[in-house]
Structures are given as C-alpha cells and as structure tokens.
Amino acid sequence: MGIRDVFSVTGGGSIFLTDALHDSTHVKAWFCHHEQAATMAAESYARVTGGLGVCVLTLGPGSTNSITGVAGAWMDSVPVMVISGQSFSSQTVRETGLRQLGIQEFPIVPVVQSFTKYAVTVEDPARIRFELEKAAFLSEQGRPGPVWVEIPANVQSSLVVWDELDRYDPPSLQASPSTDEGTTAVIRDVVALLIKAERPLMQVGNGVRIAKAIPTLRSVVEEHEIPFITSHNSNDLVASDHPQRIGFSGIFGQRAANFAVQTCDLLISVGNRFSLGQTGYRADDYARNATVVMVDIDQSELSKAHLRIDLPVHMDAGDFLRAFDAEVPADYRCPDRWVAQLSDWRDRYRVADEHRPYSSSTEFVNSYAFVEALSDELTPTDIIVTDMGLAYQSAHQALIVKDGQRFFTNTGLAPMGWGLPAAVGAAVAAPASRVICLAGDGGFMMNLQELATVAYHNLPVKIFIFNNRGYLTIKQTQEIGFASRSIGVDATSGLGFPDFSVVAEAFGIPNAQIHAGPLWRSELRSALNSTGPFLVDVAMDPDQVQAPKAIGRVRPDGTREQSVLEDLWPFLSQETLVEEIRIQEDGS
C-alpha cells in the first residue's frame, strides 16, 4: 500500500506483528517510548507526507495509551491507521460479561468506534488483506480520519498466501459534483453573491490542503484579488505576506482578521469547520453583517446548530474551488476600497508590534519577540510544529510563514505533550528537512521520554522550550476568573519542574539556555545551525501577557459578559473600535 514507515512500541500482545517488522525489507519501524507518542508521531507523519500514518501497538494498556493520539487525529481529520494486537480469540471476553480473560486483554474496538472511521477485529486470517485495504481506503477517503485494525494473536500467527487473499474492492467514487447540474447552479449562486458584494471575504481551512487544492486557491484569490483569512490548521497554506491573506480569526486570532470577519458582507468558507476557537462563544454574532456560505465535505459540519449558515454547500473543497474558478468572470476584481481597508488593518495591527512594550525585560525573552526572531532565521524547507499553551498561541499569532514551510499543531483536541512526538513524526517523514519544535515547559513534560527517540536516531529536531515555570495559560485563567486562587500551575501552587538542560544532558542531547540580553538572537541562530538534535531552554516571564485574546468584559455590577469577536483584549478604546468597524458597516 506504499507504506514505508510505521511507529511502534514493542509488546507481547503484538509480538508476531513486530517480528514481521523485524524481517521486513520494505517497512521500517520507528520505536517510541509511549504509545500515545507513537500515534501522535503517525499523525504528524501523515500531515507532512499527505498520506497514511501507521502505528503498530500491543493490546491492553498499549492500546488504551494511544487513545489521545487517535482522538486528536479524528478531530483534525488526519488519516492514521492503528494496527493493534489482542489476546488469542479463545481468551477474549466477547459476550460473556467478564471484565477480563486474557492477560492484559481489553476490548479496545468498542471503545474507539465512536472516534474512528472504521474499527474492526480480524477473526479470520483469510480476511486480513481485505480489512487492511478497506481500513486504509476509508481512512483517506472523503473527510480523512483514523481507523483501527485489531488482530488477535492466533490470527497474527497464521500462515496465509497474500496473493490468494480476498481484496477490498473500493466503491466507485462519485463523479465530481461540479458536473452535477444542481451543484453547478449553487456555485453560480455563490458567484452571483461575490459579484454583488462590496466587502467579500474567503475563509479557508485545512480541507483545502486535504483536497490538494492549494494551487487552485491561489489561482482564485490572486487572479480576482479576493482577500482571505485562514484557520489555525491552515496557517501554512500560503506565506504570511501573501497579498490577499489578512491573517486568521478567532479568540486568539489577529485583530485585522477579526475586523475583516465582522465587517464583510459576504463570507465564503471553504474546508473550514467554524470551531468555537474561530467564532468565539457568541457564534451567532460571527460575521454578523455577512451572507455566510459554507463549503464542506461533511454534512454534519453544515448542520451545526449554533451557526448561522445562509448557503450550505455539501462538496469537496477542491471540487468547489475548481468549479468556482471556472465560473467567476475573468475580469472580476474585488472592490479596491475593501482591499485597501484590509491592507491598512493588516499593517497597523501586527501582533509583534503589540508586544514591543513587553519585550524590554532584562531577564526574560518575550515569546512573541522570540517567534518574530525565529521567523527571520527559518528557511522555506523548515517544518515547525508546536505544543499547546503559550508556544501554540504566540507562534500562530506571530510566526511569519514562508512559502514552502509546513507549520502545524493539533488544534481540535489540542493535547499537551503533542509537540515532541509530532516533531519525531515530521523528521521521519521529511529526513532532509530541519524540524523546529516549540513547546511549553508544561506540555514538554508529558512526553519528554521521546527525547530518547530523537537522540537514538540523531533526528535534526531543534527543540525550544518556552520556560515560564508553569502552566501560564491556566494560571492566567485562574487569575482572571478565580481571584488569583492558583492551584496546580507552578511551584507556588503545587507543581514542580526539572532543569531541562540537565534533562537534555541525560539523554545525550546538546543544549543551551537563552535569557534576555544582547546575545540571545545569536544564540538562537547557533542552535538552529547545529548538527543533529538540539534543545534550548528559553527563559520566559511567568507572568507574560498573552495577547490579543478574547476575554469577557466586566459589567458595572461586577458580572462578566463575553465580548464580541472584534473586541480583543487588551481592549481598544470604544471610540477607536467603533471608528474601525463603522468605516465598513455604514459604507462611508
């Protein structure tokens, strides 16, 4: 099936499968130190290759350990196949009512069925080829997602003749919707809305990449000068300085993009799921002045109860963009006044500029200043992955993405600890690329065992730990909403951390520490230019501001209300905010 790499943790319940990997001349196994990390590495591998990520795991705790990684792939629509072992069929509980029969036995398939596209136990050795091919097909077909194939020990150890086994015959794929008369009429309706609009805006998500439609997207927006915004999961579709790109919206978004959403009169969303992180918690107010068109391959996404969708289009993102491109008149151009306004907002509300006042510490490096400096040093072939918290938010808000770079995070489940194993998967998928891992000290602790994997394979992963001595995002939530009653977020509230330089030394990984001062940018450059893996402990302020972000406004009576999306903290004056929004809303 074209798979050349799998991620694994050896176990007794999958012993025949791993023995087969030992003998294979076609597939290389990359062994991690935790099954959660193996599935996260497989997800990242799939993102980079554009194909299927595979892990081979054992039964029981090996399978349950992987659940977080599988759930993350499910929410972010990434094709991952888990092949797991199981006890001998005669030693499984089946319908007996027993809790357990075989050693370490656990019925994993019923557990994962709710967040996989397909999950099956292979009981008949003659069905193994059929089930593997079916699972692989379903994982990548339509809206991608994880699949699970469980193989009991007696099936693992059976002898089969591969060429004589039943094959899976995929159903005939439907013809492109663009050839359907009804769909063509809908696309023409969208084009008519575009031509009529004074302030059109596109919002593009990772579905565009999944559909392999980035060149078509570029053709549409460049030829017709249509402005667009992205989601967290699609911030690497095009370069940050692309003339038509305005940024990305959301509760940790960019002001210019949020202004654009709230003032546009037509919003065409393609391959984007309108998560609450994008719309904010007042989703009914999102794009309040616009006719909203949503294009998605998943009918369920088009039926979200909390959204106002004026024109749902059930269609693959690539098929839509190609048909849309064909229907838009060649001489159409977005209105100049709208383009000029968006460019002005983008230039005046740069996130890095907002943090200049916070970047003068003599001890700590501001994360936004760090990301800005990192942007200057990176090349178009680099791959950047982040963990959660401050590393996630400040990187997505401030990184200047170059054409050709990959830059991604698991944004749906957003599990702490994702960054390091994701860096492993990316390095395996693209051995000629340098991989940059941005992780907070909290998230890094959750999978730091994979430093052994990085060191063993001498992977070119440059790890930057945003060390603010705790869980900064949660701490600030406790400060804002719970009168600073902090618990479990730093050393003063019950949570300790090691010296990461000592940790790196223990794994044999070269390392450095960066503090504020005249040399930190040159130290950053040295770390990036090192050979093999390198870990940098970056000292950051335990009380650093994360901004801009959506937080509730306090009413005169002391209660709090969720602010509208354009009203990000640090709050602009009401006069400024009204003036910015009024420019477009009243047509003046």
Side-chain angles (χ1 to χ4, degrees):
M1 295 189 292
I3 304 300
R4 294 292 172 260
D5 301 284
V6 302
F7 299 89
S8 185
V9 177
T10 304
S14 57
I15 197 67
F16 297 103
L17 300 176
T18 51
D19 183 61
L21 288 172
H22 176 276
D23 287 348
S24 176
T25 58
H26 301 290
V27 178
K28 180 173 181 177
W30 300 79
F31 291 100
C32 297
H33 287 268
H34 196 285
E35 291 85 1
Q36 180 189 96
T39 50
M40 291 174 174
E43 178 196 336
S44 180
Y45 181 94
R47 287 177 182 265
V48 174
T49 63
L52 185 66
V54 178
C55 14
V56 177
L57 308 176
T58 190
L59 80 171
S63 293
T64 58
N65 280 346
S66 73
I67 284 177
T68 298
V70 176
W74 170 254
M75 292 184 183
D76 271 22
S77 306
V78 182
V80 170
M81 179 192 286
V82 176
I83 302 173
S84 74
Q86 183 53 280
S87 297
F88 286 82
S89 297
S90 60
Q91 298 171 7
T92 55
V93 296
R94 299 177 181 267
E95 306 300 325
T96 62
L98 295 172
R99 291 192 178 187
Q100 186 183 46
L101 185 58
I103 296 174
Q104 291 189 304
E105 179 213 357
F106 180 80
I108 191 67
V109 167
V111 172
V112 301
Q113 281 176 332
S114 65
F115 54 93
T116 56
K117 294 188 68 179
Y118 185 64
V120 64
T121 301
V122 182
E123 300 282 8
D124 181 357
R127 297 284 289 176
I128 184 61
R129 181 172 187 170
F130 177 94
E131 294 295 359
L132 286 172
E133 291 178 346
K134 179 178 181 179
F137 173 81
L138 293 176
S139 184
E140 297 187 84
Q141 179 61 24
R143 182 178 181 178
V147 292
W148 193 295
V149 179
E150 178 186 73
I151 311 177
N154 53 296
V155 177
Q156 290 179 44
S157 60
S158 298
L159 294 175
V160 295
V161 180
W162 188 254
D163 291 337
E164 296 178 3
L165 296 177
D166 290 341
R167 301 197 61 174
Y168 175 69
D169 185 17
S172 299
L173 300 182
Q174 295 180 349
S176 171
S178 61
T179 62
D180 178 81
E181 290 185 6
T183 305
T184 301
V186 171
I187 291 171
R188 288 174 178 165
D189 289 343
V190 177
V191 172
L193 290 170
L194 174 68
I195 294 171
K196 179 182 177 182
E198 296 181 3
R199 303 183 300 276
L201 183 69
M202 293 185 70
Q203 183 160 8
V204 293
N206 197 47
V208 173
R209 179 181 294 280
I210 293 171
K212 297 179 172 54
I214 297 175
T216 309
L217 170 68
R218 297 188 71 125
S219 173
V220 170
V221 300
E222 290 170 4
E223 180 179 356
H224 305 295
E225 299 178 4
I226 302 173
F228 68 95
I229 60 175
T230 57
S231 66
H232 279 84
N233 238 348
S234 60
N235 277 338
D236 62 351
L237 287 182
V238 299
S240 296
D241 61 1
H242 188 283
Q244 278 73 52
R245 180 176 173 179
I246 312 303
F248 74 95
S249 68
I251 59 176
F252 280 96
Q254 297 162 331
R255 294 189 195 272
N258 282 6
F259 287 171
V261 166
Q262 297 297 72
T263 56
C264 69
D265 60 2
L266 174 65
L267 181 64
I268 304 174
S269 170
V270 184
N272 170 67
R273 65 175 180 242
F274 283 132
S275 69
L276 287 174
Q278 289 176 349
T279 65
Y281 299 108
R282 294 176 59 172
D284 58 332
D285 188 65
Y286 190 75
R288 59 176 171 266
N289 294 290
T291 299
V292 178
V293 177
M294 183 177 183
V295 181
D296 204 284
I297 198 169
D298 187 343
Q299 180 63 55
S300 298
E301 295 292 340
L302 298 169
S303 307
K304 285 182 174 177
H306 70 284
L307 287 176
R308 173 183 57 82
I309 306 299
D310 299 297
L311 181 56
V313 181
H314 186 205
M315 196 172 182
D316 173 79
D319 290 337
F320 171 82
L321 285 171
R322 285 184 286 272
F324 183 71
D325 191 23
E327 291 291 339
V328 177
D331 61 351
Y332 170 79
R333 297 293 182 274
C334 184
D336 292 341
R337 180 175 172 279
W338 175 237
V339 172
Q341 177 63 75
L342 295 177
S343 297
D344 176 62
W345 280 334
R346 183 177 55 195
D347 294 342
R348 285 194 290 119
Y349 290 104
R350 295 181 68 249
V351 172
D353 291 340
E354 293 200 35
H355 283 265
R356 304 289 181 216
Y358 310 117
S359 303
S360 57
S361 169
T362 58
E363 181 181 359
F364 301 116
V365 178
N366 178 274
S367 68
Y368 293 85
F370 179 85
V371 170
E372 185 180 38
L374 180 66
S375 299
D376 293 338
E377 300 295 334
L378 297 182
T379 70
T381 61
D382 288 328
I383 301 172
I384 307 99
V385 301
T386 86
D387 211 286
M388 307 307 145
L390 182 66
Y392 170 33
Q393 303 298 357
S394 53
H396 278 274
Q397 286 183 311
L399 189 75
I400 308 301
V401 180
K402 299 179 175 70
D403 266 331
Q405 284 178 347
R406 293 302 316 276
F407 170 43
F408 53 84
T409 307
N410 185 283
T411 62
L413 192 63
M416 291 175 67
W418 190 85
L420 183 57
V424 170
V428 172
S433 294
R434 179 174 59 180
V435 178
I436 314 302
C437 176
L438 306 179
D441 48 353
F444 191 73
M445 288 292 293
M446 294 193 175
N447 267 317
L448 65 75
Q449 76 282 339
E450 298 312 317
L451 285 176
T453 308
V454 171
Y456 178 80
H457 293 288
N458 197 36
L459 299 176
V461 175
K462 316 303 177 184
I463 304 161
F464 296 93
I465 299 177
F466 289 27
N467 191 347
N468 46 49
R469 305 175 188 175
Y471 296 172
L472 179 62
T473 302
I474 302 301
K475 184 177 79 169
Q476 291 185 350
T477 300
Q478 292 174 345
E479 289 171 346
I480 294 171
F482 297 87
S484 295
R485 295 190 299 275
S486 294
I487 182 170
V489 292
D490 56 20
T492 65
S493 64
L495 186 68
F497 290 87
D499 182 327
F500 288 107
S501 293
V502 175
V503 172
E505 291 288 344
F507 286 98
I509 293 178
N511 62 91
Q513 292 182 322
I514 288 180
H515 297 83
L519 299 179
W520 75 261
R521 285 177 175 80
S522 62
E523 292 169 340
L524 165 62
R525 189 175 304 115
S526 296
L528 288 170
N529 293 333
S530 63
T531 302
F534 202 94
L535 183 147
V536 183
D537 183 356
V538 187
M540 294 187 177
D541 190 343
D543 296 307
Q544 184 194 304
V545 170
Q546 295 184 78
K549 62 182 178 182
I551 65 174
R553 276 189 174 273
V554 179
R555 300 185 183 96
D557 64 359
T559 59
R560 187 176 294 273
E561 66 176 347
Q562 185 64 44
S563 59
V564 291
L565 193 65
E566 69 270 22
D567 194 15
L568 296 177
W569 182 88
F571 298 121
L572 304 174
S573 70
Q574 284 301 298
E575 293 77 14
T576 298
L577 188 62
V578 168
E579 180 63 20
E580 295 286 20
I581 299 301
R582 184 193 64 81
I583 288 172
Q584 296 302 327
E585 288 191 353
D586 67 3
S588 62

